[in-house]
Amino acid sequence: MKEDSLSNRAYTELRKKILSNQLTSGTRLKEDEWSKKLDVNRMAIREALTRLLGEQLIVQGEKGGFFVKTLTLEDSHKIRELREILEIGALRLLIQKVTAEQVAELDRICDDFTSMVERGYFGGACEADVKFHETLIECAGNEKLVDLYQASNIPLFHQKLGKTQTHMDDYELTDQEHREIVAGIKEGDVKRAEEALLKHLIRGEVASIDLT
């Protein structure tokens, strides 16, 4: 496999794990360790880490090494504000033209989240959470909005989901909130969908503050 392909695969995997909190704040990313885990050479890992550093998803330690960026209270607040602007905007667009296939996809992601939690696969549940919100953006049918959302590198700030499996109430509430958003979309009820999404985002911010 070409070097750039290896680097891109490493970047994609590490980015996914950071955004879904499978790699939590402060975690050190060692080149040799991830080279073995992802079955790529260290050069590919180094290039992936450089990209992630440029996107401010990781930082360099004072004595060297790369670490997953720790969210401050201000970071959490700004993330919530950004997600609120982008995702509520997406809701208003998609609810006017959502298709049965798109609704079915959102339902499937909700079912995946539930299944992952029931089986104890909490990393997969976090990925399903990220996927749910990315799909809301995609369903709006605006490529510029999708590009902006992806370029924003918005992490999952329901950090309790990534920290430990003991916070089962967070998983249950996330599941309920996702399904309430979808219910609003199915009914064409913008207010119901927006209120559910706002509640979900605000709870995420509060939960992240509790862990700082």
Side-chain angles (χ1 to χ4, degrees):
M1 188 178 291
K2 292 184 178 180
E3 189 65 42
D4 58 344
S5 297
L6 292 174
S7 173
N8 191 63
R9 179 159 68 84
Y11 160 78
T12 300
E13 283 300 311
L14 288 171
R15 180 179 181 274
K16 179 174 67 176
K17 291 183 182 298
I18 291 171
L19 294 184
S20 63
N21 268 335
Q22 294 181 69
L23 289 172
T24 54
S25 298
T27 299
R28 183 171 184 176
L29 302 175
K30 298 180 180 179
E31 289 181 13
D32 57 344
E33 179 181 325
W34 283 100
S35 176
K36 293 176 182 177
K37 285 183 177 180
L38 299 180
D39 192 26
V40 299
N41 58 48
R42 292 185 64 168
M43 179 63 73
I45 296 297
R46 193 172 301 122
E47 290 178 2
L49 292 174
T50 299
R51 286 181 67 182
L52 294 169
L53 180 67
E55 293 174 357
Q56 299 182 20
L57 287 174
I58 64 176
V59 296
Q60 285 185 294
E62 293 181 3
K63 298 181 180 180
F66 294 96
F67 299 81
V68 177
K69 183 179 179 181
T70 298
L71 295 182
T72 64
L73 298 181
E74 184 178 7
D75 288 333
S76 294
H77 184 65
K78 288 181 176 179
I79 289 169
R80 196 266 297 164
E81 289 182 328
L82 178 60
R83 290 184 65 177
E84 186 175 316
I85 291 168
L86 297 179
E87 295 185 34
I88 285 182
L91 268 182
R92 292 175 179 174
L93 289 174
L94 75 86
I95 212 161
Q96 302 173 36
K97 54 188 176 183
V98 68
T99 66
E101 290 76 14
Q102 289 173 328
V103 171
E105 175 65 7
L106 289 168
D107 276 333
R108 185 191 65 76
I109 295 170
C110 288
D111 290 341
D112 282 347
F113 182 91
T114 303
S115 175
M116 295 291 183
V117 173
E118 289 175 347
R119 290 185 288 149
Y121 184 24
F122 299 101
C126 290
E127 288 184 20
D129 191 352
V130 172
K131 181 64 175 175
F132 179 84
H133 293 278
E134 289 178 342
T135 302
L136 283 181
I137 297 293
E138 291 167 3
C139 288
N142 186 310
E143 292 181 0
K144 296 295 184 182
L145 179 58
V146 172
D147 290 344
L148 179 60
Y149 195 82
Q150 291 178 344
S152 298
N153 293 306
I154 300 172
L156 174 68
F157 60 6
H158 285 264
Q159 294 183 56
K160 288 182 180 179
L161 300 187
K163 289 281 186 180
T164 173
Q165 66 188 55
T166 60
H167 294 282
M168 290 304 297
D169 58 329
D170 272 48
Y171 289 101
E172 292 171 0
L173 288 171
T174 294
D175 195 12
Q176 293 170 12
E177 289 159 0
H178 283 178
R179 293 181 185 279
E180 179 66 11
I181 293 167
V182 176
I185 292 171
K186 289 178 179 177
E187 295 176 3
D189 188 336
V190 179
K191 183 179 179 181
R192 179 178 179 181
E194 284 186 12
E195 287 180 350
L197 178 57
L198 277 173
K199 180 180 179 181
H200 183 54
L201 296 179
I202 291 171
R203 187 175 65 80
E205 180 184 358
V206 172
S208 67
I209 290 172
D210 287 345
L211 287 167
T212 56

